[in-house]
Amino acid sequence: MPPLPPTSVPGVAHLPASETSPGTAQMLPPLHSLVAWPPAELDGWLRRTQERLNVRAFGLPHLNLRAPFRTPLGSRDLVSAFRHLLADTPPFEIKILGWKQLPNALMLECERAPELLALHRRALGAVPSSQAPHDGDSYMPHLTLALGILPWAEAHLWEEVRRLTPPLTHFTVTALSLTREMRGEVQELHTFPLGEGGGL
């Protein structure tokens, strides 16, 4: 399920693949994430809402268990480390709390349930890696609807979004995916079914 790269749309700033210059980015390891994909009903609703409002997020709708990080490990060792981490992790519930507005962004905030926070903390220590400012104590699970919103469009989009009701109030996560960002696209490296020994 390869997500599409972000695009420039009216009222939304172009989202770069990384915060570094192209020359620097080529020397750095790729960005990886550990994500949960929403069920088809919610995924489709979010994508249709994005199309209707003419907004974008980065890639397909997803919930980060870890914000994008860099690691010196290669793909094989990275998959092995997360397979070990997730080997005994059972499926878990995600509860959607409602809309949240941040500067330049709109998202569906999700509950910081104890089992989700514990998994997040374990994922942070799974491999040697960088850590984003919004991981750890600042971790806020969410599904992003729009990123890069320009200031003049924020109030209008918020008024549109706050009246919308998602089709689901909760969903069960039965698998997690390790992803890698390459040239502005998010590639799925490996999927780990939960409750089945962490995947094959």
Side-chain angles (χ1 to χ4, degrees), residues 109-195:
E109 185 177 7
C110 301
E111 182 181 45
R112 287 165 49 93
E115 61 270 22
L116 180 59
L117 294 179
L119 179 54
H120 171 70
R121 285 192 295 269
R122 288 180 13 239
L124 286 178
V127 296
S129 65
S130 61
Q131 181 173 323
H134 37 279
D135 272 340
D137 292 341
S138 300
Y139 176 60
M140 181 184 67
H142 64 275
L143 294 158
T144 303
L145 178 75
L147 285 177
I149 303 170
L150 298 176
W152 58 264
E154 286 184 327
H156 169 72
L157 285 172
W158 175 243
E159 287 304 312
E160 288 280 326
V161 165
R162 65 189 301 184
R163 295 193 291 264
L164 300 178
T165 302
L168 302 175
T169 58
H170 60 89
F171 60 93
T172 302
V173 175
T174 59
L176 294 174
S177 292
L178 180 65
T179 64
R180 174 179 60 195
E181 181 189 323
M182 293 292 286
R183 293 182 290 277
E185 294 188 7
V186 178
Q187 303 172 346
E188 201 166 19
L189 281 184
H190 193 87
T191 294
F192 306 91
L194 301 180

Side-chain angles (χ1 to χ4, degrees), residues 10-124:
V12 179
H14 176 68
L15 301 173
S18 68
E19 298 177 354
T20 57
S21 65
T24 305
Q26 290 174 359
M27 298 183 296
L28 293 173
L31 286 167
H32 291 85
S33 296
L34 184 66
V35 307
W37 305 108
E41 183 180 4
L42 182 57
D43 172 83
W45 182 84
L46 284 166
R47 288 202 257 174
R48 289 191 300 273
T49 301
Q50 288 174 330
E51 289 298 321
R52 185 172 64 79
L53 297 178
N54 203 20
V55 297
R56 297 290 182 272
F58 191 79
L60 297 176
H62 61 276
L63 186 149
N64 277 332
L65 268 292
R66 277 206 62 174
F69 62 90
R70 298 189 194 278
T71 176
L73 297 183
S75 296
R76 182 176 303 211
D77 289 337
L78 197 54
V79 169
S80 177
F82 278 104
R83 179 184 290 118
H84 178 73
L85 172 79
L86 300 171
D88 298 318
T89 301
F92 57 91
E93 287 289 309
I94 296 291
K95 180 180 179 182
I96 297 171
L97 299 180
W99 293 108
K100 187 172 184 67
Q101 182 182 35
L102 295 176
N104 313 115
L106 292 168
M107 60 191 62
L108 280 176
E109 185 177 7
C110 301
E111 182 181 45
R112 287 165 49 93
E115 61 270 22
L116 180 59
L117 294 179
L119 179 54
H120 171 70
R121 285 192 295 269
R122 288 180 13 239
L124 286 178

